[in-house]
Amino acid sequence: MLSKFKIVLVETSHPGNIGAVARAMKNMSMENLCLVAPKIFPSADATARASGANDILSSLERCETLEQAVADCHVVVGASARDRTISWPELAVRECAEKFVSAAFSDVRIALVFGRENSGLKNHELDLCQYLLRIPCNPDFSSLNLAAAVQVVCYELFIAAGDYRQPEIGDRGADPLATAEQMEFFYQHLHQTMQDIGFLHPDKSKTIMRRLRRIFNRTHLDVKELDILRGILRFSQNHNVKKGND
């Protein structure tokens, strides 16, 4: 799905930005990078900033003009933070991602063009674009670093394509969630324990229990967590009995 997108950088001044863009792309499973007349490349700075995304740097396409870079694309989208005298069809970055990841554009090759760090895209370059891409941000400070802008766009494409998978961390999901019946037994046990240790005032027991239910209901306890809590309650009850006997 994401292989149909090509990131095009026009006359990039700082080679470190090229490496940072490669890293941002690889983070989001993007692989097609094209440089149009970069000021400095190859460069050790680009390799260092790529932080392991060397495969994208080694396979990137180089062109002398933007016309050459987008010649094989069906849709060309130019990113710009500046307002233009002549209005252009505009897409916010999320809207752009949802539009072009859809099935209607499944066989369409799309270029996402980013301009120079200090001045962006020129008007004659925007003439090659069907859409102007906007990244919503602070209107009083709307100029994004090149790699940051590419990262935002690639992220939205990645999410729209459905490529995100919830990472499995530790023992998440190893134990089943507690059932409604198990939770009710827990609340009864909790209520009895608070009575046994003298914490619960009869006049406020309903209010307190209702608030405690809200707390535990938000956590979605699993059976192991519930066993731990009930173990604490049993210990508190036993300790209270021993203390009373003493």
Side-chain angles (χ1 to χ4, degrees), residues 100-137:
F100 293 124
V101 167
S102 68
F105 291 88
S106 58
D107 297 322
V108 175
R109 188 166 173 79
I110 300 158
L112 301 165
V113 184
F114 297 82
R116 302 153 190 82
E117 292 96 330
N118 60 348
S119 59
L121 293 172
K122 297 178 180 179
N123 286 333
H124 75 273
E125 292 164 340
L126 272 178
D127 287 340
L128 300 173
C129 304
Q130 286 89 27
Y131 298 95
L132 184 63
L133 179 65
R134 297 282 197 181
I135 299 175
C137 54

Side-chain angles (χ1 to χ4, degrees), residues 79-92:
S80 178
R82 292 192 293 116
D83 292 326
R84 306 286 171 162
T85 303
I86 299 176
S87 60
W88 228 258
E90 293 188 9
L91 292 172

Side-chain angles (χ1 to χ4, degrees), residues 27-225:
N27 285 154
M28 300 299 143
S29 299
M30 304 278 287
E31 56 187 29
N32 298 318
L33 175 61
C34 179
L35 305 182
V36 175
K39 300 299 183 184
I40 304 172
F41 190 81
S43 166
D45 286 342
T47 302
R49 291 286 300 279
S51 300
N54 298 337
D55 54 330
I56 292 180
L57 294 181
S58 62
S59 63
L60 62 76
E61 178 186 0
R62 291 187 65 169
C63 298
E64 290 303 314
T65 66
L66 181 57
E67 288 88 346
Q68 294 173 353
V70 302
D72 63 340
C73 295
H74 305 95
V75 177
V76 181
V77 181
S80 178
R82 292 192 293 116
D83 292 326
R84 306 286 171 162
T85 303
I86 299 176
S87 60
W88 228 258
E90 293 188 9
L91 292 172
V93 61
R94 185 161 297 176
E95 180 185 10
C96 176
E98 292 172 350
K99 179 182 180 69
F100 293 124
V101 167
S102 68
F105 291 88
S106 58
D107 297 322
V108 175
R109 188 166 173 79
I110 300 158
L112 301 165
V113 184
F114 297 82
R116 302 153 190 82
E117 292 96 330
N118 60 348
S119 59
L121 293 172
K122 297 178 180 179
N123 286 333
H124 75 273
E125 292 164 340
L126 272 178
D127 287 340
L128 300 173
C129 304
Q130 286 89 27
Y131 298 95
L132 184 63
L133 179 65
R134 297 282 197 181
I135 299 175
C137 54
N138 181 358
D140 297 324
F141 194 68
S142 59
S143 179
L144 285 170
N145 168 268
L146 175 60
V150 173
Q151 181 78 77
V152 170
V153 173
C154 290
Y155 167 80
E156 291 292 349
L157 290 169
F158 182 76
I159 295 299
D163 283 355
Y164 177 71
R165 295 184 299 275
Q166 183 72 26
E168 295 183 5
I169 301 174
D171 62 350
R172 177 186 292 165
D175 297 294
L177 293 178
T179 65
E181 182 180 45
Q182 289 169 325
M183 290 302 299
E184 284 305 313
F185 284 139
F186 166 69
Y187 291 133
Q188 293 170 18
H189 193 176
L190 178 61
H191 184 269
Q192 185 61 53
T193 302
M194 289 191 297
Q195 286 182 323
D196 292 346
I197 64 176
F199 177 82
L200 208 58
H201 191 283
D203 295 337
K204 297 182 179 180
S205 63
K206 289 185 178 179
T207 301
I208 291 175
M209 284 306 302
R210 185 166 292 118
R211 290 185 179 276
L212 288 171
R213 279 175 177 268
R214 285 168 52 188
I215 292 172
F216 287 111
N217 285 341
R218 285 199 298 267
T219 63
H220 300 290
L221 296 171
D222 63 40
V223 293
K224 191 168 186 177
E225 293 165 338

Side-chain angles (χ1 to χ4, degrees), residues 189 193 226-238:
H189 193 176
T193 302
L226 200 62
D227 285 343
I228 293 171
L229 290 174
R230 296 200 65 178
I232 294 172
L233 296 180
R234 284 191 293 271
F235 179 86
S236 300
Q237 288 174 309
N238 293 336

